[in-house]
Amino acid sequence: MTQEINKHHKATDQAFAAISLLTVAAGVVAAFWLLGSPGKQRLIALDRTRLTNLRDIAYELEAQVTGFNSGAENPLPETLPSTVSGVEIGRDPLTDAPYEYIRLSDTTYQLCATFATASENDPLIQQKVAEWWQHPAGRHCFDFDATEPVPFLPYYR
């Protein structure tokens, strides 16, 4: 009788171990399916940093043009300086290359970056409040008017 009980416990333990293993494996597969691989998440994080840098540059240029910090309005610079209003301009987090700045007029310009992924891979960009920041993979430019508020971006450093 003791042997039968031990066989029963052994069979129960093996079944429990198999179910546990399958549950953990299913959880790992579900996480990769929902979130993507760690490599993909890293690329999305780099793109978020790029967007945050572009937003920060746009804030600084807006402050310069509207005179927010100094009280004196100024036209946009011909080239993007290394600092604006005493704040160092961000650079690409992977290549350390400066972002592309194209001055279109005294108040309008473009900021360009090369993105690793399309914004459709980032659930934060898919929020209604961040539609303006959507971008494809590869080089993309955003048009700004420094007299208008910089579009909201739901990222924090």
Side-chain angles (χ1 to χ4, degrees):
M1 177 129 180
T2 305
Q3 287 180 338
E4 284 183 37
I5 293 173
N6 286 342
K7 286 181 184 178
H8 178 69
H9 282 297
K10 186 176 181 179
T12 303
D13 290 346
Q14 288 175 340
F16 180 74
I19 291 171
S20 297
L21 182 62
L22 288 173
T23 302
V24 169
V28 169
V29 168
F32 276 100
W33 182 70
L34 290 173
L35 302 174
S37 69
K40 181 178 177 183
Q41 287 303 306
R42 180 177 178 272
L43 294 176
I44 290 171
L46 288 170
D47 284 347
R48 286 180 180 175
T49 299
R50 290 179 180 103
L51 287 175
T52 301
N53 288 345
L54 294 179
R55 179 205 58 197
D56 292 348
I57 293 167
Y59 279 148
E60 292 301 321
L61 292 172
E62 175 189 359
Q64 179 178 333
V65 169
T66 62
F68 181 75
N69 290 339
S70 65
E73 293 182 15
N74 297 297
L76 286 166
E78 291 296 325
T79 60
L80 192 61
S82 59
T83 62
V84 178
S85 304
V87 176
E88 189 172 326
I89 297 297
R91 298 171 73 90
D92 186 276
L94 185 62
T95 66
D96 198 40
Y99 294 106
E100 187 179 353
Y101 165 78
I102 304 166
R103 184 183 189 270
L104 303 174
S105 73
D106 283 351
T107 61
T108 59
Y109 62 99
Q110 290 182 326
L111 289 175
C112 308
T114 301
F115 295 95
T117 65
S119 58
E120 66 192 26
N121 296 316
D122 187 343
L124 289 177
I125 290 296
Q126 293 308 310
Q127 295 176 8
K128 193 80 167 155
V129 296
E131 279 181 346
W132 192 87
W133 292 99
Q134 291 184 7
H135 58 81
R139 182 179 179 275
H140 181 73
C141 297
F142 295 95
D143 295 316
F144 292 92
D145 182 336
T147 63
E148 299 290 325
V150 175
F152 177 72
L153 181 65
Y155 295 148
Y156 303 100
R157 284 192 183 192

